[in-house]
Amino acid sequence: MEEMAVRSRPELFDFHGVSMVNYFTDNWEDVQKFKARPDDILIATYPKAGTTWVSQIVDLLYFGKTLPERKDSIPIHERVPFLETSFPGLPRGTELADSMTSSPRVIKTHFPVQFVPKSFWEQNSRVIYMARNAKDNAVSYFHFDRMNFVEPEPGDWPSFLQRFKKGDVVFGSWYDHVKNWWEKKEINSNILYMFYEDLAEDTDREINRICSFLGISPSKEERDYVRGQVDFNTMKNNRMANYSTISVMDFKISPFMRKGKVGDWKNHFTVAQNEDFDEDYQKNMANTTLHFKTEI
Ligand code: A3P
């Protein structure tokens, strides 16, 4: 179990126009100076959009065959360092990434696109952005904040939902995040924009999309192996993928691998909350060509 010296929940504050907590801003200078490599693969997401799922897929596509013991002995957050983290008592995300000897490096970030260190763009590193529909994303984020003590106190569901709509949660507005990354993708062919709902609907097809984007051609047997390893229940029971080695999360409150479903929002939103959310959503999404499925 990795022990972090976390004593109380952090406060949210405005950081260059985005709501953040100190764990993701304390190392800002070094993060901005981070030296990306051309073969780095950056996995970018709004929190709770399926980061761990894509991370496990990409890690296994590269190392599942050549380093099979890796997935059984190294937790996902070490195989795929979280770039902007600075947790007391643990190596910083930049230190973990800098010390990686395996290649390519697969690196995770929750940064809005304007915070990404410029060397990723200068080096033409490939980026996989994964987005999830706002309603399921909000539900997943609420349960995550309940169980994870490095997050601000979520309060009850109605108050969390109000704050989610306004972007008063860590890493800011869902709307700004998904739309600004979508715009960046329109002008940068090194970004693959994926959806949680598509990955849930047809995992094989989406793994094939990832392989094409990365320019790799694993055999059918290798792809099938990866497909089996990234099944929700397999990952939920895999200690190296389910975050059970992290001391600041209380799985008795809610497990990290919670439900893994599209449409769980229907079990949380009241009719009034749904109508109110839809009205706000239409306004916020009026200026984009980006569309989400909320059920499959
Ligand atoms: P739920 O809380 O809705 O269950 P992240 O990795 O970005 O923190 O996202 C976590 C969310 O992705 C959780 O959603 C988790 O259950 C879901 N998830 C993780 N692995 C998954 C998988 N293999 N299949 C489906 N969903 C998965």
Side-chain angles (χ1 to χ4, degrees):
M1 184 73 71
E2 287 176 58
E3 294 295 338
M4 293 184 213
V6 172
R7 290 191 176 78
S8 59
R9 284 177 178 265
E11 291 292 324
L12 206 59
F13 59 89
D14 181 273
F15 186 75
H16 301 296
V18 179
S19 294
M20 294 291 280
V21 291
N22 63 314
Y23 299 127
F24 309 116
T25 59
D26 277 354
N27 197 26
W28 177 254
E29 305 288 318
D30 281 352
V31 172
Q32 290 307 309
K33 282 188 280 179
F34 182 73
K35 286 193 172 53
R37 301 177 193 156
D39 65 344
D40 282 345
I41 297 156
L42 186 66
I43 295 180
T45 59
Y46 189 75
K48 312 318 290 174
T51 330
T52 316
W53 198 3
V54 183
S55 300
Q56 182 80 343
I57 291 171
V58 175
D59 184 71
L60 289 176
L61 282 171
Y62 280 105
F63 304 112
K65 192 174 172 199
T66 50
L67 299 170
E69 68 289 351
R70 194 178 143 96
K71 72 156 196 346
D72 298 322
S73 58
I74 310 177
I76 190 69
H77 59 271
E78 286 178 31
R79 282 178 282 145
V80 179
F82 186 175
L83 184 67
E84 56 268 29
T85 52
S86 169
F87 292 120
L90 291 184
R92 294 171 168 202
T94 47
E95 288 164 353
L96 275 178
D98 284 340
S99 65
M100 281 172 99
T101 50
S102 51
S103 172
R105 299 186 299 186
V106 185
I107 298 169
K108 153 184 165 180
T109 184
H110 286 320
F111 271 165
V113 68
Q114 70 274 19
F115 283 5
V116 171
K118 66 178 187 313
S119 72
F120 282 102
W121 310 121
E122 290 167 352
Q123 295 296 324
N124 289 319
S125 312
R126 271 167 296 198
V127 183
I128 299 178
Y129 185 80
M130 170 93 139
R132 187 178 195 184
N133 80 76
K135 292 177 185 176
D136 282 328
N137 208 140
V139 168
S140 184
Y141 210 164
F142 169 63
H143 289 294
F144 183 66
D145 282 7
R146 289 170 56 232
M147 60 81 96
N148 184 354
F149 296 95
V150 300
E151 290 284 312
E153 180 64 50
D156 61 9
W157 165 243
S159 66
F160 180 85
L161 186 59
Q162 287 307 322
R163 275 182 284 116
F164 180 88
K165 280 163 57 183
K166 288 190 281 171
D168 292 342
V169 289
V170 187
F171 294 102
S173 158
W174 177 91
Y175 294 104
D176 291 346
H177 210 282
V178 297
K179 287 193 297 186
N180 291 338
W181 272 101
W182 181 255
E183 273 179 29
K184 184 77 174 177
K185 178 243 19 159
E186 304 278 47
I187 54 167
N188 187 324
S189 59
N190 284 326
I191 300 174
L192 176 70
Y193 200 106
M194 299 184 64
F195 295 93
Y196 181 99
E197 295 72 27
D198 289 344
L199 191 54
E201 186 180 62
D202 191 337
T203 309
D204 289 311
R205 179 191 66 208
E206 295 302 304
I207 290 177
N208 286 340
R209 275 188 77 210
I210 293 174
C211 290
S212 302
F213 173 72
L214 297 175
I216 54 175
S217 318
S219 65
K220 170 147 187 358
E221 191 191 351
E222 283 160 5
R223 287 177 203 220
D224 288 348
Y225 167 77
V226 173
R227 170 74 188 84
Q229 289 295 320
V230 302
D231 169 74
F232 178 74
N233 286 318
T234 306
M235 281 184 64
K236 187 178 172 79
N237 292 320
N238 178 352
R239 275 179 61 72
M240 295 300 131
N242 67 12
Y243 279 92
S244 57
T245 56
I246 299 268
S247 68
V248 292
M249 296 182 186
D250 186 344
F251 280 29
K252 289 197 283 303
I253 298 175
S254 181
F256 183 92
M257 298 287 172
R258 196 182 56 88
K259 286 196 181 170
K261 292 257 183 293
V262 178
D264 185 44
W265 63 270
K266 292 177 189 168
N267 297 315
H268 290 76
F269 283 67
T270 63
V271 172
Q273 281 170 349
N274 195 34
E275 285 172 3
D276 182 53
F277 194 88
D278 282 347
E279 194 185 324
D280 187 59
Y281 188 91
Q282 305 307 336
K283 283 186 211 141
N284 276 293
M285 298 297 275
N287 61 350
T288 178
T289 54
L290 175 60
H291 293 290
F292 284 86
K293 296 175 193 161
T294 51
E295 51 196 317
I296 53 173

